[in-house]
Amino acid sequence: MELENKRESKVISKNIDVFYGDKQALFGIDLEIYKNEVTALIGPSGCGKSTFLRCINRMNDVIDICKITGEIEIDNFNIYKPDVDVVRLREKVGMVFQKPNPFPKSIYDNIAYGPSIHGIAKDKNEMDHIVETSLQKAALWNEVKDRLHEPGTGLSGGQQQRLCIARAISINPEIILMDEPCSALDPIATAKIEELIDSLKRSFTIVIVTHSMSQAARVSQRTGFFHLGKLIEMGETEKIFKNPNNTMTQDYITGRFG
Amino acid sequence: MSDEHIVKSYDEELQHLNDSLVQMGSLTEKLLYDSMNAITTVDKDAVSKIVESDAKINKFRSSIDQHIMTILVKRSPVAIDLRYAISTLKISQDLERIGDLAKGNAKKILPLPDDLPPEMLKRIESLGEMVQKQLKSTLDCFIEKSVQKSLDTIKSDEQVNDLATASIKEVLEFLSKDKKNLDFATNLLFVCKNLERAGDHLSRICQNVHYLIEGDYPQK
């Protein structure tokens, strides 16, 4: 298939174990995420999918009792090497959370904050340009261009989430991690985010954790199913939802999990 | 795979679908038998009952269509459940077509000509029996969800085709001997052809049972 030929690895997880204190949350996760594709991670609550997502930009580092072994390579570089600059890493790997969390600042400043602390914009003109293109890429520009200096928190839930996506892409990341980005949104706002995800994959590699099976089926090219900290099955999304290889995957996605 | 969904009513809906299709299958079996019987015994009175049975089968088909639509809307089925919904939709279409073909055959009843070779009628009877046997195995393979049975039934459709071809040839020879048998022989040709087509629909049902279980169609 054409798709197969063009595929290029972006993230490779090698034998990742995660412990929270004595409790092991992930067991030897080996998986590959392809560039410019959307990879969905599904599984019941507590299965480790969000824990794994947070390994990709070392967000778990902020939890004291969390210990991680194994390797995650981004573009063939192990991000768990001791000398890795985590701030630089997170510049490359942005994140969007379940609940929209705009800063209590204006729409403009929400976007400008990242580029200014990372020193990305040379001057005001350049910053204006970044703010505009980020909002355009997040399909929010037309709705907010006349009120850029109003508070971001005054936007609707769906707009706030797109603002957070605009904020994430303003610093030119390569990978965007999304942890249930639509679970607090209504169906229309969800559809807009899904449409956005589809267009964003041209420029970014996206990993999305979702509880919505149909969302995983709609937005992703590959899907991984986690259960009790293990990756049970990873494969083409179409295959997973039409004819999965693993019985446990089938039981979960068809609602037979007891 | 665990058999039950967390949502019990989903299981009930799928069970209802299964039961409706099995019932539709038994009605089709009966219709095919009655239709062959009416032809060979020249029982014109049976036709109205056969037409009624066919209408009943058609109703089953639309009710199954509606039921599957409801499942798609309510449950957004995936994996085995999605394949189940899609396959039963197609299977009910094929059963309906078999019903139509059997009804069409019964409508072609004409008195048997005096010079009709008995072995010719025997052969067409055998063809009918063979298709009935195929229908039974097909329904069994759906009920048992058996991949092996579906493959065996698809394979034995070749015998139906061979017997249909031989019967058609025989009818044509009969026709060429005396043109006065034109009407009767033409109808008989339709009967053979319809039985052969019923066999093709049965093979398609088996292919869909295979798809339902395995997620792919059998290799030719």
Side-chain angles (χ1 to χ4, degrees), chain A residues 21-36:
Chain A
D22 294 338
K23 192 181 175 301
Q24 188 163 1
L26 287 179
F27 297 81
I29 305 297
D30 288 310
L31 65 78
E32 203 170 345
I33 289 163
Y34 296 120
K35 194 176 173 183
N36 298 114

Side-chain angles (χ1 to χ4, degrees), chain A residues 213-214 217 240-244 247 250-251 253-258, chain B residues 1-7 10 14 78-83 214-215:
Chain A
M213 238 63 81
S214 49
I240 297 273
F241 287 100
K242 284 182 187 168
N243 190 18
T247 315
Q250 171 142 297
D251 283 353
I253 62 172
T254 58
R256 283 181 170 88
F257 230 62
Chain B
M1 186 178 75
S2 91
D3 289 334
E4 291 177 359
H5 288 88
I6 299 165
V7 180
Y10 191 2
L14 289 173
V78 291
I80 181 86
D81 299 332
L82 175 65
R83 302 203 304 273
E214 297 282 296

Side-chain angles (χ1 to χ4, degrees), chain B residues 78-94:
Chain B
V78 291
I80 181 86
D81 299 332
L82 175 65
R83 302 203 304 273
Y84 193 81
I86 298 295
S87 305
T88 46
L89 185 74
K90 292 182 176 178
I91 291 171
S92 73
Q93 286 169 357
D94 282 311

Side-chain angles (χ1 to χ4, degrees), chain A residues 20 36 68 70 85 97 116 128 150 158 171 178 182 193-194 202 231-232 242 246:
Chain A
Y20 292 117
N36 298 114
I68 298 162
D85 179 347
F97 298 88
S116 88
D128 288 350
E150 289 177 21
I171 53 168
M178 297 185 170
C182 301
I193 301 278
E194 286 180 4
R202 271 176 248 134
L231 178 67
I232 305 297
K242 284 182 187 168
N246 192 288

